[in-house]
Each structure stands twice: as C-alpha cells, then as structure tokens.
Amino acid sequence: MGSRSLSSVPNPRLLASSVVERLQKAWGESPFYEAQLRGPAPDRLSHRPSEPYLGDKALGTAIAEGKLSVGTDAIDCQGELGEVWRQLQRDTVLHGYLHRFAWLRQLAALGEPGRAPARALTAAWLDAYARWTPDAWQPFLTGERLIALCCYGDLIVSDNDVLWKSRVLTSMARQTRHLAHAGHRAGAGYERLMTSMALTIAGLSLPGCDPCVERGLELLRRELRLQIRPDGGHLSRNPSRQLEIVVRLRMVIAALEARRQEIPGFLTHVIGRASAHLQLFRVGDGGLAIFNGGAEDDPKALTFALHYLDTDYEPVEFARHSGFQRLEAHKSVLIVDAGVTRNGGGISGYLGDGAFHFSSGRARLITNCGGGAHLAGDWRDALRLAAAHSTLSSEPHAVFASQLVGSSVNHRRGEDEDGHLLEVKRVLSAGGNGPAAAWERRLFLAADGEDLRGQDTLINPAPGLAANWRARFHLHPSVKASMSRDKRTVILALSNGEGWRFRTNCKNLHIERSIYCGHGGAPQAAEQIVLSGDGLERPQSGDMVIKWGFKCMSAG
C-alpha cells in the first residue's frame, strides 16, 4: 500500500472550516433565509446618527473621478463608477473599504457634487449585491455599511424619487435583519464589538427594525464585558480603536436618547471608564499617541469623544490592566507602553514592549512607526516588529523577540519636585539553567519638561542579544536631525521651532532612514536614531548599561 506525503493529507481544521462555509453559503442563498430578512419596509429614517470624523475632499474628488485607492491597492474605472464592483478583487484592503461604504464620508465632504457619484456607486452595489453573498454581507462589513448609510443617507436618497428611496431603505432593513442573525459571527473581537453597536444604531434608526435593537444590545453587553478591561482600555491596546469605540458608544447613547429609550446601566459605566482611558493617549497637537497600529487620528473626533466626559472618572495616568504610563511635566508629555507581550505579540500583534511617545507642546518628537492595516502583508508584518518601535530590539529581530514571549513585568513610579521617574523591569525567558535575563528601562522626565533621560540595562543577556541589540528612537517626520561633528550628539529641530539635543554613552550612534504610517494613508519618510551593540564606552563583562537623553537646548 503506497504512502502519501504529509502535504497531501487534508488539514482537519481547514476541512471543517470549508464544510461550515459551504453550509452557511447554502443557507444564506436559500429561500428560507431570504424569508427571514423580509419585514416592514421603512419609508424614512426615524433617527439620523452623525459621526464626528471629517471627510477628505481630495479623496472625495478622486473617488468621483473613478480613482479609488487604499494603501497599495487601487482601481481606476475611468469615471465609470459602476465598473468598480466588477474590478474589485477579494482579499484586498480595497475590498473591505468599498464594501464598508467608507467612501461615503469622503463624497459627503464634497457636498452637492458628491451626490451623483455616491448614488452611482450605491446603485451599482445594489445591482450586484442586493441579495446575500458571503463576501459583501460579512457581518462587520454589513454593520459598517449600515452606519455609513444611516449617517450619510441624505447624500444618496431624496424625497423626490420615491421608488429609489424605497429601494435603498428596504435594502438597509434587510441588511439589519441579517445582522441580527449573523452579527455574532463577526471575525475578530474588535469587529464583533463594532458590529454589535452598528446593529443597535441601525435598529434604532430604521422603523420596523425595533426587534433588532434588543439583539444588538445583548451582543454589545457581552462583547463589552469580554473586551473592555477594568481600567477602561480595549484589549487591542490600540489608541485609534479606543477612540472609535468611544465614538460609537456615544452614537449608541444618542440614538437611544433620540428614541426616548432608557440608557442601560452597563453603557453608562463602560463609556465613563473608556473615555477616561482615551485621555491617556491625547498629546499636545490634539491627536493621539501612536501605539499598537494606531494613528494620530482626527482631533475633531477626539474632542467629540471627550466632550461629555463624566467627572466621576478621573483622567488616567497609569492604566494598570492595559499597561500604559503617562508622565506630564510643563508642556511635555511622555507615554510609555509597559504592557506584556504574549504569544509573539499579544492580542495586538505588535512587539512594542517598552516603547514610548514623547512630545513637547504641539510638536511630536519621538514616536513609533504606526500601523499598516491599509498596506500589503509585508508592510503590516514589518510594522509589528520591535524595530518599528522606539524601544530595544535586535538584529535579527528573533533574538530579542523570542525572549519577550511569556516574560513578566514590574513597574515602579515616583514623583518629587525634581521630576517624574518610571522604571519598567521585564524578566526575560531564562533560556537554560543559568540566571534569568532581564531588561530594565528607566525614564526620568524633569519637572520643567525640558530634560528626558533614559537608561536601558541588560541583565545577564544571552550572547546573541549582547552582541546584536539595537536601541531605536523613531523621529516624527516633522523633526529634522543632524549629527554633530564629534559624532556623539544629534541635534533635533522640532516643528514648533524648538531645538533639542540627544546624547548617549554609546559610541555606535547613527541616524538612519525610517517610515511613519501614523498620519494619512501612505507611509511617510522619516528618520531614526539608532544605538547598536559593542558601542558602549566601558564594555562590561556582565550587565550592559545604555544611557541616553534628550534635552531642550534652551535649557542649557
């Protein structure tokens, strides 16, 4: 009897997943499921939600011309917007963007000129996807599409065309009922949370969909309990997602109030904690600090999210469960990721242990590279590495990353008249019978905010790490860096006109190229300060101590 190679043996998990997908497809396309989506046809929106995010007129103009792009994905249909859905490929970033109707916000920014292209894209979608399909009717995509249609529906429909208005509203009601059946099957945890809120808002906005509200609130209660930590932070530890969640929660509450329904106690409690946690990431320019795939985001949306902040919840400076520390001195803000990496990157998938974000007034100085959700796979993978964060890393990256997995962390924080001190000590994997290795990062921010001093100590480091460590400090694209003549100091010019000086006890000091994905859709060119191994002034046989500091030059 001939033997088969392992590669020819079906994977049981993939096989089971394939069977489930086939069954779901057969059920979704059946007349029985179609019957469950029928119900009263709404003739209006009983509530019109609004979101605070600003649309981009430049993007709106490009979309109106038939040029749609997200990251490296692009479609140019030469002005024939109906062709977009035919050219769209599955498993691309653009696929999700288009089916979420995220383009409606950009076209709405154009005002009246955005009406015709918005209607053309919507009509073509209804022609192709009016009935259930596994791609276009995924729960998360459906929920986000309903939110966009509820918020910007006035751009598409008008009372003058009764048949067209009925077609759009009837489709929205069918999609809402579908979401009530399938919302719990949304993919990642964050997607389930956003889907539950979309279902609640859509149910409150569409007459005849009231039964969907109860289902939406039921899902929302469960997901909030599972995903929001006691300190108010979301499991993703992503500031942009934290903002989106708070904004959406406020939209849910506004919809309940508009329909004169009682606000559930769990919503009031969660939004208070989540909003207080969101404040931790706000910096001087009104945007968010960059951590775990987040972005600077929309200052207007952040202001909206924090406008009705409950005074019963104090601003967070130390998020114990989420692992973030915030230190403020005068006009300087230092935010540190003191969380624990698990399973090669934790829930967020980012190896940003010990990374920090530093700003002076409205000027950002030190940041992280940001997320790559809008970019191709290689970009996304690279931006998750420790090297894409202002922290300790190694070359190759696996040397240090392998020791972070499963490590424990301790914090110590102190304040006096001189300033703020933060110590984060991470016990690394022992990797044998010898003494456990550890990495300690000490940060001191002077009371005047003009002096930030740091010390990284590698205790009993493995030989590979001792020889190949890197300490990286990613500069915001607005910062201009130049090396001094002695090659021991870096002079930094900030966007607010300030000059800062970077010094270190490490001889191997370099300015290298970097990228920044924290603002807009495309990566921006930036620079980074890099310290590397074998460059300490006094090589030590045991522990390795790397000292560095940033000082405002006006401080002397």
Side-chain angles (χ1 to χ4, degrees):
M1 182 176 177
S3 61
R4 293 187 297 169
S5 66
L6 290 176
S7 61
S8 65
V9 178
N11 185 313
R13 288 187 178 181
L14 293 178
L15 187 60
S17 176
S18 176
V19 171
V20 171
E21 287 181 3
R22 291 179 185 179
L23 289 173
Q24 289 177 348
K25 186 174 186 296
W27 171 246
E29 294 176 346
S30 71
F32 305 103
Y33 188 66
E34 178 66 24
Q36 294 188 24
L37 304 185
R38 295 174 188 154
D43 59 353
R44 57 186 172 81
L45 287 177
S46 54
H47 169 66
R48 297 181 183 276
S50 61
E51 61 175 16
Y53 293 96
L54 293 174
D56 189 316
K57 289 185 177 180
L59 284 177
T61 300
I63 292 170
E65 296 173 352
K67 301 174 182 177
L68 299 98
S69 63
V70 178
T72 55
D73 295 341
I75 290 178
D76 187 351
C77 56
Q78 305 296 324
E80 296 293 332
L81 288 172
E83 294 296 318
V84 167
W85 305 110
R86 296 186 182 91
Q87 296 184 30
L88 188 59
Q89 296 182 3
R90 188 181 178 182
D91 298 328
T92 62
V93 177
L94 192 56
H95 178 276
Y97 176 85
L98 287 174
H99 279 295
R100 292 197 310 271
F101 277 36
W103 41 267
L104 258 179
R105 181 190 300 161
Q106 321 306 339
L107 291 175
L110 300 179
E112 188 61 31
R115 184 178 299 277
R119 179 163 174 163
L121 278 169
T122 304
W125 187 90
L126 288 171
D127 290 341
Y129 304 106
R131 294 176 62 86
W132 181 92
T133 63
D135 292 342
W137 286 53
Q138 293 176 33
F140 177 66
L141 299 184
T142 302
E144 296 305 294
R145 183 166 57 244
L146 285 168
I147 288 292
L149 286 167
C150 287
C151 290
Y152 305 107
D154 286 347
L155 190 68
I156 298 172
V157 301
S158 66
D159 294 331
N160 297 330
D161 192 338
V162 177
L163 291 178
W164 167 247
K165 181 178 181 180
S166 176
R167 185 185 183 195
V168 173
L169 292 174
T170 299
S171 176
M172 290 173 64
R174 294 179 70 252
Q175 293 179 61
T176 303
R177 296 184 188 105
H178 161 70
L179 210 57
H181 290 291
H184 65 284
R185 293 204 298 267
Y190 165 77
E191 293 185 357
R192 290 195 303 273
L193 179 54
M194 297 298 284
T195 299
S196 67
M197 290 188 279
L199 172 58
T200 304
I201 294 169
L204 289 165
S205 301
L206 290 161
C209 292
D210 292 339
C212 299
V213 177
E214 183 177 349
R215 177 58 173 160
L217 287 173
E218 177 188 337
L219 290 174
L220 178 55
R221 184 196 300 270
R222 185 188 71 180
E223 294 304 327
L224 288 173
R225 185 177 67 252
L226 294 173
Q227 297 188 43
I228 301 299
R229 288 171 162 159
D231 57 22
H234 184 248
L235 288 177
S236 66
R237 306 178 70 246
N238 180 328
S240 291
R241 288 190 171 180
Q242 184 79 19
L243 172 59
E244 291 170 351
I245 290 167
V246 172
V247 166
R248 189 66 61 84
L249 283 170
R250 296 211 177 278
M251 292 172 66
V252 170
I253 291 175
L256 288 166
E257 290 175 341
R259 295 292 302 276
R260 299 183 179 180
Q261 295 192 21
E262 183 180 357
I263 310 300
F266 76 89
L267 275 181
T268 305
H269 179 59
V270 169
I271 198 170
R273 290 185 292 122
S275 299
H277 183 88
L278 180 62
Q279 285 192 105
L280 185 150
F281 300 108
R282 193 177 196 177
V283 296
D285 62 5
L288 294 170
I290 309 297
F291 288 101
N292 297 315
E296 294 182 16
D297 236 299
D298 189 339
K300 181 183 177 183
L302 184 54
T303 299
F304 168 84
L306 298 177
H307 182 68
Y308 300 103
L309 187 65
D310 193 331
T311 55
D312 291 339
Y313 295 90
E314 294 293 330
V316 176
E317 291 186 348
F318 171 36
R320 181 181 302 275
H321 299 87
S322 298
F324 285 100
Q325 296 267 7
R326 179 187 177 100
L327 287 74
E328 291 187 64
H330 194 43
K331 61 180 181 178
S332 294
V333 176
L334 175 67
I335 306 172
V336 184
D337 183 345
V340 178
T341 292
R342 294 186 178 92
N343 300 324
I347 293 175
S348 70
Y350 289 83
L351 290 167
D353 304 67
F356 69 94
H357 190 286
F358 184 54
S359 60
S360 175
R362 295 184 60 84
R364 296 173 186 243
L365 177 52
I366 302 300
T367 184
N368 300 298
C369 289
H374 54 286
L375 299 172
D378 290 344
W379 277 97
R380 292 197 299 269
D381 293 343
L383 290 167
R384 283 173 164 79
L385 301 178
H389 299 79
S390 293
T391 187
L392 202 70
S393 63
S394 63
E395 297 293 343
H397 69 87
V399 172
F400 189 44
S402 62
Q403 298 189 51
L404 285 176
V405 178
S407 62
S408 60
V409 62
N410 299 306
H411 316 85
R412 188 168 73 89
R413 177 171 175 163
E415 299 179 15
D416 59 25
E417 60 183 11
D418 295 325
H420 309 264
L421 175 67
L422 173 65
E423 294 181 354
V424 181
K425 185 174 182 180
R426 191 173 306 279
V427 179
L428 305 175
S429 302
N433 297 322
W439 163 43
E440 182 181 71
R441 168 159 278 188
R442 303 178 78 238
L443 298 164
F444 173 79
L445 180 62
D448 61 7
E450 295 186 334
D451 188 7
L452 171 62
R453 281 171 264 168
Q455 176 176 298
D456 289 302
T457 304
L458 287 170
I459 303 169
N460 297 318
L465 179 59
N468 297 288
W469 62 265
R470 301 285 189 277
R472 300 179 183 273
F473 307 89
H474 291 276
L475 305 174
H476 190 266
S478 63
V479 177
K480 306 301 180 184
S482 57
M483 186 76 72
S484 65
R485 292 182 179 179
D486 62 3
K487 306 295 183 181
R488 306 299 299 275
T489 303
V490 178
I491 305 301
L492 304 166
L494 276 59
S495 60
N496 62 358
E498 292 180 353
W500 286 69
R501 180 175 60 235
F502 175 85
R503 285 179 174 171
T504 177
N505 70 331
C506 182
K507 295 179 181 179
N508 289 346
L509 168 63
H510 303 281
I511 299 176
E512 298 181 2
R513 290 186 297 175
S514 180
I515 62 166
Y516 184 69
C517 297
H519 182 72
Q524 296 176 257
E527 294 181 306
Q528 60 177 315
I529 298 171
V530 181
L531 311 180
S532 55
D534 298 327
L536 296 179
E537 289 181 343
R538 295 179 295 276
Q540 301 175 10
S541 57
D543 300 346
M544 304 184 73
V545 180
I546 308 116
K547 297 181 179 181
W548 48 267
F550 294 88
K551 191 167 188 178
C552 187
M553 295 173 68
S554 63

